[in-house]
Structure formats: structure tokens, C-alpha cells
Amino acid sequence: MFSDQDRAEIAALIDESLQTGSLTLGPHTRALEADFAARHEAPHAVAVSSGTSALEIVLRALGAAGRDVVVPANTFYATAGAVVHAGGTPRFADVDAGTLALNADTVEAALTPETVGVVIVHIGGLISPDVVAIRELCDRRGLFLLEDAAHAHGCSLDGRFAGSFGVAGTFSFYPTKVITAGEGGMIVTADERLRDEALVYRDQGKAGFLGGEHIRLGYAWRISEVHAAIASVHLRRLDEFISRRSATARYYDQALADVAGVTPLRLAPGGVSNYYKYIAILDRDLDRAELKKQMQELGVSMSGEVYATPLHREPVFAHLGTGPLPVAEDLCARHVCLPLHSDMTESEAEQVVAALHDVVDSLSAGSEGIAS
């Protein structure tokens, strides 16, 4: 969502880059890093090419190579893929039924003698209150805690922003995210050493942008000035987007109380979410595929789940032999995401709920008929 004013400003910033020839790691990147760090109350921010590269950079800097890293089973491929590309082995853990996130017990069950750290994912822009207990567990065991905050721009819990609970947080600027650059990512951290390592890794492992020896096995993980310009302008809209999305989420929270068999994933007390996704869990007697099909017929697209297949069931990770992880498997199969976007109107939200009422009533009546 880009207004006419935003597009004009972005075009002017890109034109400035074209005129000056500063096309990578220039003033737009530095401005984005400063503004993003300030918005998330982080001492340091390092802009990179994607949320995936942000994860891999941090994992490399934290010594994941040759070690195990605990990852929730219900997350995107990149969370675990970054562990593998950093030289480590992902160990998939089950999740909490009430939060869709790791808790201290599921983390502890996945630990091995080779575990070096844990990645917690803020699914849908919701920070689980279990993050505090997980951090305490990691501190006791001498493990790092890394936050995959790809969904969590501007999100907080008890006044602490995503990225402040672990040693670092990583964000994505992919086109579907609340704040986008087209492509890009960000690392936030209070650790100065980690900030310095990220600066080296993102630029082919060089000791300095304008020259120097290659001191790390880095990669071309820079963000371009064009992408940084887009994200800088979009970032200014974050509070506006959160306000609009939160209003829709509050309406859904209230309306779904009257929809039997559809239970929304609730925001924790003290939490602020950007509602990147509005997640609800279906009762087991509701057929998700049929529900989505009938919603589409009524003009409401529910095109995708957060993650429909847990990672330990993905072919690329089958060799790890993990499982079963019953809670993650169950929740991946039963959740849906209601439409929610940054310029959603009240009438659109009402249309979604009205359609959901009709479809759930239809499916419930059908299941009762079969049972009788």
C-alpha cells in the first residue's frame, strides 16, 4: 500500500541515487537503519538483502556451524534453511497450542548436547509471553536466543519491542509484509560485536566497504539504495498501518465470538501486534478446504495459511527424522487466516464475517446431517 505522496517521494529518492551514482550501502541505507533502530528502540540496525540473509548472517556470527539450533516446526522454510546454510542442523520443536509459538517445555524437549541456540518466531506479528521463560532457559543453558521477527515490525510485549528479547532480531521487507522494500531485511541488536560482524558478512566478508581484506566467508547480502528508499518511506506509515489493522482485528475478535467452531488466536495482555496475519483455529469437524472454497464462492479470498505443512514434514528436511510433533501438526492443519490489510474498511470486514457465518452454518448443518 503506497499513497500517491509516498510513490512521488520514493521516485525522487531513487532519482537522487541515479544522479549521484550511489546505488548500494549509501545514504538511504544509513537513513533506513537509523530510523528502523529508533522505531524499535534498538541500539544497532543493519540492513541486508532479505530476512533470510539476516537470519543466516546472525547464525554465522553466533557460531551455529557444526551445532544444533532449535527451531519451531510451524515456521517458514527460511528459518530452518538459514540454519543449514550457516552450517548448523535445525532441531524441530513442537509449539504451544495457545500461542503457535515455542514455550520453555517444547524447547527443553528438543535440546541436545550439541545445541548452541534457539530461534523463536513471532508468528503473525504476535509475541508470545513465553519468550521471557525461553530467554531465561537459554541463559541458564548458555544458549543464544534469536528472534525471527519477519512478521513483527513494530510489535511489542510489555513495552519491549520485537528484537529486544534475544541477542538479535531479524526482519523481512518482502512484498507481503506490513512494511516492504520489495526485497530486503534488517538485523537489530544491542550487541556491538554482532553489529560489526553483520556489517562484514553482508559485504562479501570484507573488513571495509571501500576496501580491505576478506576476513569472513561473507556473501552479496547488501541492500540496494533503491530498496532502502522504498522501505524508508514505507516505515513512516507503520503506526498508521498498525492502527488500521488493529481496528480490523478488534472487530474480528468481537464478531468471531458468535461464530461457533472458529477460535481466534488472541493477543497476549501487554502485547501490541501489527496483525500481519489474523489467525483463527477451526474445530476439527470443520473442513478447511471446503470452508475456503465456499468463502471464495461468496467473494472472500482466504488464499493461504501461515504455514500449512510443518517443517519436519517438508521433503528437504526429511533426512532429519524428526517427529511426531502433534501440536504443530494439528495446528498447521486447522488454522486459517482471515483477510486483513492496511487499508481495510469496516464494510469489507463485515463482509468477511457475514460470509464466515454463512459458511460455518452450512458446514455445521452438513456435518450434522451426515452424523444423523
Side-chain angles (χ1 to χ4, degrees):
M1 178 185 163
F2 292 92
S3 68
D4 292 345
Q5 178 183 344
D6 290 345
R7 293 197 302 274
E9 184 175 359
I10 289 168
L13 291 173
I14 293 172
D15 185 60
E16 177 185 315
S17 293
L18 296 175
Q19 288 184 51
T20 62
S22 177
L23 295 173
T24 189
L25 298 185
H28 300 331
T29 298
R30 291 191 292 273
L32 173 62
E33 289 171 336
D35 292 345
F36 198 90
R39 177 60 180 78
H40 292 81
E41 297 182 358
H44 310 294
V46 178
V48 294
S49 58
S50 68
T52 306
S53 62
L55 283 166
E56 184 174 342
I57 287 168
V58 176
L59 288 162
R60 284 175 177 263
L62 292 174
R67 305 294 298 278
D68 293 346
V69 179
V70 176
V71 174
N74 62 325
T75 184
F76 184 51
Y77 155 82
T79 312
V83 174
V84 175
H85 287 298
T89 301
R91 295 300 179 191
F92 298 119
D94 215 341
V95 295
D96 189 283
T99 66
L100 272 67
L102 298 172
N103 64 34
D105 290 337
T106 64
V107 169
E108 192 146 29
L111 297 180
T112 73
E114 295 302 315
T115 301
V116 69
V118 177
V119 182
I120 188 170
V121 183
H122 304 315
I123 295 289
L126 301 176
I127 301 177
S128 167
D130 292 321
V131 67
V132 176
I134 294 171
R135 174 59 189 270
E136 292 172 350
L137 171 63
C138 288
D139 288 346
R140 290 196 306 271
R141 295 295 190 94
L143 310 174
F144 69 73
L145 176 63
L146 170 58
E147 296 171 64
D148 182 341
H151 298 180
H153 311 73
C155 301
S156 63
L157 179 67
D158 295 330
R160 295 179 60 181
F161 283 98
S164 69
F165 295 92
V167 68
T170 61
F171 296 80
S172 169
F173 296 137
Y174 187 71
T176 61
K177 301 301 188 286
V178 176
I179 297 298
T180 185
E183 292 284 0
M186 187 71 75
I187 298 164
V188 300
T189 183
D191 187 323
E192 188 172 340
R193 184 200 68 84
L194 188 55
R195 185 275 312 271
D196 292 345
E197 288 285 297
L199 293 173
V200 170
Y201 272 110
R202 77 174 175 183
D203 189 30
Q204 303 283 15
K206 291 190 301 183
F209 177 46
L210 298 178
E213 296 178 331
H214 292 263
I215 60 175
R216 296 287 184 272
L217 195 62
Y219 209 76
W221 283 319
R222 298 174 296 269
I223 190 171
S224 78
E225 286 289 272
V226 171
H227 292 100
I230 295 169
S232 287
V233 172
H234 219 215
L235 179 61
R236 297 176 198 164
R237 300 292 189 188
L238 180 56
D239 290 336
E240 172 190 336
F241 292 165
I242 290 176
S243 177
R244 180 67 65 86
R245 298 171 84 95
S246 296
T248 302
R250 285 193 297 272
Y251 174 77
Y252 282 158
D253 284 347
Q254 296 169 359
L256 262 59
D258 297 327
V259 182
V262 183
T263 305
L265 189 66
R266 295 291 186 181
L267 180 65
V272 173
S273 177
N274 62 17
Y275 288 100
Y276 171 64
K277 298 286 188 181
Y278 186 91
I279 302 168
I281 310 300
L282 302 179
D283 280 2
R284 289 180 177 82
D285 59 352
L286 290 178
D287 184 306
R288 180 169 67 187
E290 185 62 25
L291 181 143
K292 290 171 62 178
K293 174 178 174 290
Q294 292 191 27
M295 291 288 286
Q296 184 70 51
E297 291 169 353
L298 293 175
V300 176
S301 174
M302 296 175 66
S303 56
E305 292 72 48
V306 186
Y307 306 112
T309 303
L311 288 185
H312 64 290
R313 290 189 169 178
E314 291 280 7
V316 71
F317 298 122
H319 66 284
L320 297 175
T322 307
L325 299 173
V327 179
E329 292 164 13
D330 179 54
L331 294 175
C332 282
R334 289 196 296 122
H335 78 273
V336 292
C337 297
L338 272 61
L340 202 162
H341 46 88
S342 295
D343 61 350
M344 195 161 187
T345 65
E346 186 175 336
S347 63
E348 288 172 330
E350 290 172 349
Q351 179 187 353
V352 171
V353 171
L356 191 62
H357 264 290
D358 290 346
V359 170
V360 170
D361 287 348
S362 171
L363 292 176
S364 298
S367 63
E368 289 173 4
I370 293 171
S372 63

